[in-house]
Amino acid sequence: MKLPLLLGAKAETVFGALLVVRNRAVRLACGLALTTGVLLSLQEADRFPGAHQPRIVFLIAGTLTAVAGSRLFAPGGALAASRQVATTWWLVPLGRLTGALLAVLPVVVVPVIAMELTETDPLLLGFSVVIFGAAVASFSFSLAPIVGSSAAMAAAVASVWIGALPTAAVHEWIDKWPVAKKAMVLLWNTLPLPWRADRLFTESSSVDVLVLGGWIVVGFVVASWASTAAWTRRRRYGGRI
């Protein structure tokens, strides 16, 4: 990799981390995650049934990355800065995503320790958390230039929390809406939801890797397109857009 490309990746990584750390919504989400980890550590297993399930870890990681991802290409300074970078199309989303993950995913370590999950396969758990967090963040920042950062964050957080529900309960709820059943089943099977990350962790399913990895690619493409399209319109109309 050439030196200018390395410097550009470093700059975007730092910028992505700053976009996340300086945002109050992300700091609030991290505070809630840390509080959850402390509360779990104070609970006994028989008094808090289900607390040792890895899906709770994916719920926390998904919530943090959904909030953080919505800031990476938010309309305004973040999106405008992405239009000024003259480099490979994938460098900006890659750098900002890396910075966001480095800023928020260490917070997930506290719930992992609190729920005594360190005895499980640490590499597989770490891989599952990282690829799931990257997929959720990509889903969030791909929506941000189109619908706004707040709407993107709301959609990503809602999908994470719905996806953390037991599968049987979700199917029962879907059956009550026969008109939209096919659409909801399609969304349930295609969106980057916590149940898929949990299955990746427990079963090492290659399908889940492909789906979550596919969302990362989709996020990169959409974010790059939004930045390039906006920059093209701006040049065409003399900077009025």
Side-chain angles (χ1 to χ4, degrees):
M1 187 178 291
K2 296 180 180 180
L3 181 60
L5 200 58
L6 286 173
L7 293 176
K10 179 181 178 180
E12 291 300 327
T13 300
V14 174
F15 186 54
L18 289 176
L19 286 173
V20 170
V21 173
R22 292 169 61 90
N23 186 260
R24 288 177 293 180
V26 180
R27 294 200 298 267
L28 176 61
C30 289
L32 292 175
L34 288 172
T35 303
T36 302
V38 172
L39 291 176
L40 291 177
S41 66
L42 297 176
Q43 296 290 332
E44 297 178 3
D46 56 347
R47 294 175 56 191
F48 199 0
H52 293 262
Q53 297 298 322
R55 187 170 293 195
I56 299 179
V57 175
F58 296 123
L59 174 63
I60 295 173
T63 303
L64 291 177
T65 52
V67 178
S70 66
R71 306 308 311 168
L72 299 182
F73 289 90
L79 183 59
S82 68
R83 302 170 186 168
Q84 309 299 326
V85 180
T87 185
T88 309
W89 66 272
W90 48 265
L91 182 64
V92 176
L94 176 62
R96 294 189 184 185
L97 177 62
T98 302
L101 295 180
L102 290 175
V104 300
L105 285 188
V107 180
V108 183
V109 174
V110 175
V112 168
I113 296 175
M115 287 183 279
E116 301 177 0
L117 292 174
T118 53
E119 295 182 358
T120 60
D121 187 349
L123 293 178
L124 182 57
L125 179 60
F127 173 75
S128 301
V129 169
V130 169
I131 192 173
F132 172 65
V136 174
S138 299
F139 173 64
S140 182
F141 73 60
S142 66
L143 291 176
I146 303 172
V147 300
S149 59
S150 298
M153 178 177 62
V157 171
S159 66
V160 168
W161 280 79
I162 292 174
L165 296 174
T167 306
V170 173
H171 281 298
E172 182 180 353
W173 177 67
I174 289 176
D175 289 336
K176 297 179 180 179
W177 302 86
V179 177
K181 183 176 180 179
K182 291 184 179 180
M184 289 189 288
V185 170
L186 179 63
L187 292 176
W188 178 260
N189 288 299
T190 55
L191 290 177
L193 303 180
W195 71 264
R196 190 173 292 281
D198 184 50
R199 192 176 70 173
L200 171 62
F201 173 65
T202 56
E203 302 178 12
S204 301
S205 173
S206 59
V207 175
D208 299 318
V209 175
L210 291 176
V211 173
L212 295 175
W215 275 106
I216 299 174
V217 175
V218 169
F220 279 25
V221 173
V222 173
S224 177
W225 169 82
S227 301
T228 304
W231 175 247
T232 301
R233 291 196 302 270
R234 187 177 181 183
R235 286 189 301 173
R236 182 180 302 171
Y237 293 102
R240 293 192 296 271
I241 296 179

